[in-house]
Amino acid sequence: MKSIAQKLKYTALGIANAIILLVIWSFIEPRMLNVENETAEIPNLPASWSGKQIAQLTDFQIGLWGDNRGTARRSVAKIVEAKPAIALISGDFLYHPGENITPEIETAVDIVRPLVEAGIPTYAVLGNHDYGMSSKKATPKTQEAERLEIKLEAAGIKVLENEVVQLPLSGSNEPLYLVGVGSLWASRDNVDKALDSVPDSSPRIVMIHNPDTFEQFPVNSAPLAVAGHTHGGQVRVPGLPQWSWLRFTQKDKVYADGWAKGFGEPSNRLYVNRGIGMSIAPIRLFCRPELTFFTLQPEEVS
């Protein structure tokens, strides 16, 4: 019979090998893109928009050592192949702008440029990392964020900050609005201003970076809101998105990804995308990068 010491030794070796495998896998998983398909119901959705697809990407985090730019490019290629009506990018193109952010900006813009070249109307908001903010207490780097915005706009990406646009659809003049809100941590968010130009009871989609902004929307004002920021928790227990590094270190009120149930005002719905990139270290564990397609459907107003 094996001695207790031998059993402990083999157990310890087994645990050590499992940890090593998990560490190795955590560097592989960021390259494994998940494509999620969701149905989103919007009150008063025009008939011409029913069944149309909206694509969402978020959180490239270009500039982190070992960043996930390859997966970002593949996700954009999948959008181009799918040809949705609209593409949305909900912030954090960059990781942490330094003294020379020109190469990082050029890379981020180069990644999304194929969307415009394919004729897909593309819209974005900026996130906290685009302002160089890795914490709420950091001072926002406004000039760096403006440089990114200028380059995105020059490439044909419309960057929204507390404003509304009517989304284009070939062969239709029926209105569907996109409400884009600025960065919460950079104090550039103004939900009231963003909603001022939206006609009452009109169909709309809301794009924000930080899910916490969603709480500011009044009842019935955000039937479909999309956000990023969380990276899905980045490291989590398999099958349990609420058991993540984010949940325990930041005590987040929102699940790290998917539909945020019981959050925000009545009749508002928020979807949190896991994003492409990462923070601190280029790892993901049981939390693959995400590209989301929403198929729009009408919903009767009760």
Side-chain angles (χ1 to χ4, degrees):
M1 293 180 64
K2 295 180 180 179
S3 67
I4 294 177
Q6 285 178 315
K7 290 181 179 180
L8 290 174
K9 175 183 176 181
Y10 290 136
T11 300
L13 284 173
I15 293 172
N17 287 333
I19 292 173
I20 291 171
L21 288 173
L22 285 174
V23 170
I24 293 172
W25 180 254
S26 71
F27 284 93
I28 296 173
E29 189 172 302
R31 277 69 194 172
M32 304 179 71
L33 179 68
N34 262 20
V35 179
E36 304 287 352
N37 291 282
E38 301 287 341
T39 299
E41 296 183 344
I42 298 179
N44 301 321
L45 183 72
S48 57
W49 280 95
S50 181
K52 293 295 187 289
Q53 280 193 324
I54 302 293
Q56 183 205 5
L57 286 174
T58 189
D59 296 87
F60 295 162
Q61 306 287 9
I62 300 300
L64 174 70
W65 63 279
D67 60 29
N68 209 10
R69 61 187 67 186
T71 305
R73 292 186 189 279
R74 286 193 292 114
S75 64
V76 166
K78 285 185 176 294
I79 295 176
V80 171
E81 182 181 1
K83 298 180 180 178
I86 300 292
L88 305 177
I89 307 173
S90 47
D92 276 4
F93 290 84
L94 310 180
Y95 179 60
H96 194 79
E99 292 183 3
N100 182 17
I101 63 169
T102 299
E104 296 167 5
I105 291 177
E106 289 177 349
T107 297
V109 173
D110 185 58
I111 287 172
V112 297
R113 186 178 282 111
L115 297 171
V116 177
E117 292 174 345
I120 301 171
T122 305
Y123 302 86
V125 293
L126 299 186
N128 53 288
H129 279 282
D130 297 321
Y131 287 88
M133 301 180 70
S134 56
S135 73
K136 297 177 183 179
K137 297 180 181 180
T139 301
K141 297 182 178 180
T142 305
Q143 290 184 345
E144 284 82 350
E146 288 176 351
R147 287 178 60 186
L148 172 62
E149 180 177 349
I150 289 169
K151 290 294 185 179
L152 287 169
E153 294 266 1
I157 311 293
K158 175 62 178 176
V159 181
L160 302 176
E161 184 177 282
N162 309 319
E163 55 190 305
V164 177
V165 293
Q166 182 174 331
L167 295 174
L169 183 63
S170 179
S172 172
N173 291 321
E174 295 181 296
L176 173 62
Y177 297 94
L178 174 64
V179 181
V181 179
S183 171
L184 176 67
W185 284 13
S187 298
R188 307 284 290 202
D189 59 315
N190 189 329
V191 170
D192 291 339
K193 178 182 177 182
L195 292 174
D196 274 349
S197 300
V198 186
D200 292 341
S201 302
S202 62
R204 83 283 303 269
I205 297 169
V206 169
M207 179 166 53
I208 56 181
H209 174 68
N210 193 318
D212 289 345
T213 302
F214 183 67
E215 290 186 294
Q216 301 178 36
F217 281 84
V219 176
N220 291 324
S221 65
L224 170 61
V226 297
H229 181 67
T230 68
H231 307 170
Q234 201 162 311
V235 175
R236 67 189 191 191
V237 177
L240 296 170
Q242 66 270 34
W243 289 69
S244 69
W245 169 85
L246 176 70
R247 186 76 168 182
F248 291 107
T249 58
Q250 300 188 20
K251 298 180 180 178
D252 234 34
K253 292 179 289 184
V254 185
Y255 281 171
D257 76 283
W259 295 105
K261 298 178 181 179
F263 185 64
E265 296 295 334
S267 299
N268 293 342
R269 296 188 72 201
L270 171 67
Y271 188 91
V272 184
N273 185 308
R274 293 190 300 273
I276 300 297
M278 300 143 293
S279 288
I280 302 176
I283 62 172
R284 282 178 176 263
L285 191 59
F286 307 117
C287 185
R288 293 184 181 183
E290 177 180 354
L291 159 63
T292 312
F293 289 101
F294 299 92
T295 300
L296 305 184
Q297 296 292 342
E299 178 185 75
E300 294 297 329
V301 179
S302 59

